[in-house]
Amino acid sequence: MPTDAATTSSTTTDRYAQSAAAFAKARVLMPGGVSSPVRAYQAVGREPVTVRCGKGAVVTDIDGNEYIDYVMSYGPLILGHAEETVVAAIVKAAGRGASFGMPTEAETQLAQVVVDAVPSVEVVRFVNSGTEAVMSAIRLARGATGKPKIVKCTGCYHGHSDSLLVQAGSGAMTLGVPSSPGVPESITSNTLLIPYNDLDAVRETFKGNPDQIACLVVEPIAGNMGCIPPAPPAPDGSNPGYLQGLRDICDEFGVLLMFDEVMTGFRVALGGAQALYGVTPDLTCLGKIIGGGLPCAAYGGREDLMRQMAPDGPIYQAGTLSGNPLAMAAGLATLDALQEEGVYEQLEATSAKLGAGLRDSAKSANVPVYLTRVGSMLGLFFSDTPITNYEQALTCRTDRFAAFFNSMLDNGIILAPAQYEAWFVSMAHGEDCVQKTLKAAEIAFATAAAVD
Ligand SMILES: *Cc1c(COP(=O)(O)O)cnc(C)c1O
């Protein structure tokens, strides 16, 4: 039970009355009352707040409560809510027409920015969601190699397409559904699973399936089972680190390496995790930030592979709204802003303060946590041991997280409603946000400490 006075149930009920009414209506009409499962707050045992608007680092619910937001639409809003240049670009584009089904110059402009920024991307195709990007890139990998199998890590999420919805982290993990009814075994039998951060498992799997594996797909920084960085190189040089190790083993066995940078692309560096760690995959999936908050994603990579997509090549993939002018405009405005001097330094500085403050606060409250961070992506695991893969992530104290989450919400800080989602810091999060967050965290950690 919450221990702080601000979280007593009568206050809580009044404070969220409009949201409660709105959610009751929504539940009648939509499964769980939501358009995506995690938004229903099942993992934290309460009902969600319904949002009226957002500006900068703050969202306001329909009861008028304000929150400092670390959901940030699960990653896209690296500049903050309703950032002026992004809004202006969308409005301007909307005035010219929402969609044409014909080429526009904006697509070429955004393609140029992506190709310049992301080391592996020589040619790019725009789609509408991260799910679609990975699904299409997998088709390309299979089509180009003529091989049926793919390898993925347990706990990595690559969208909800059939062949990838196996031990998939994120919402699927929170709900305790490792895969889903409706996905035939004949499809997932071609998906081979390995633990994240385990190079021996990669080698074994490749050896056991000679000439059958099209690609290995991985989140270079796992962000859908909390935030789990790739293992760094050993100081004595005995191993090259997880990502370089993947590159080496894929080359040795002739397997394509695909980085799913839907979350990390433009987030941890302009060129994504591949630029940060200096490891170049064959294919890359992008999403979230690339659309500046509008539905847009992309896949790209080596030219010889990408030219096999229709109409240059025989592998089919299409989309009525792909390359949508509004999404292109929002993406361009966002990526333009990210190329300004000092952006990633500011994100790093803000996030470092937040991370260190949370760690200290947990320690003072005597709550064991394992805090991870790569740039402006953070993971807060309620665990007294390090978390480097999915199996370990499953041992976390989700009951403590729920108490922490609820206290934070009641004190004006909104987090993703599950232990296994990352926190996102934006350019709009200033020093004042960090201080307010840490103040609320002090109470929230004390609340979590009371759960045994
Ligand atoms: C969010 C995410 C996806 C799915 O993107 P959608 O736009 O939600 O379909 C895929 N891969 C990763 C790594 C993601 O974080």
Side-chain angles (χ1 to χ4, degrees), residues 129-131 134 157-159 219 224 260 262-263 288:
S129 70
T131 295
V134 189
Y157 181 66
H158 302 294
E219 290 180 71
N224 287 286
D260 178 352
V262 168
M263 184 182 289
K288 298 196 166 111

Side-chain angles (χ1 to χ4, degrees), residues 5-17:
T7 64
T8 57
S9 58
S10 67
T11 317
T12 300
T13 309
D14 297 340
R15 185 175 149 84
Y16 303 112

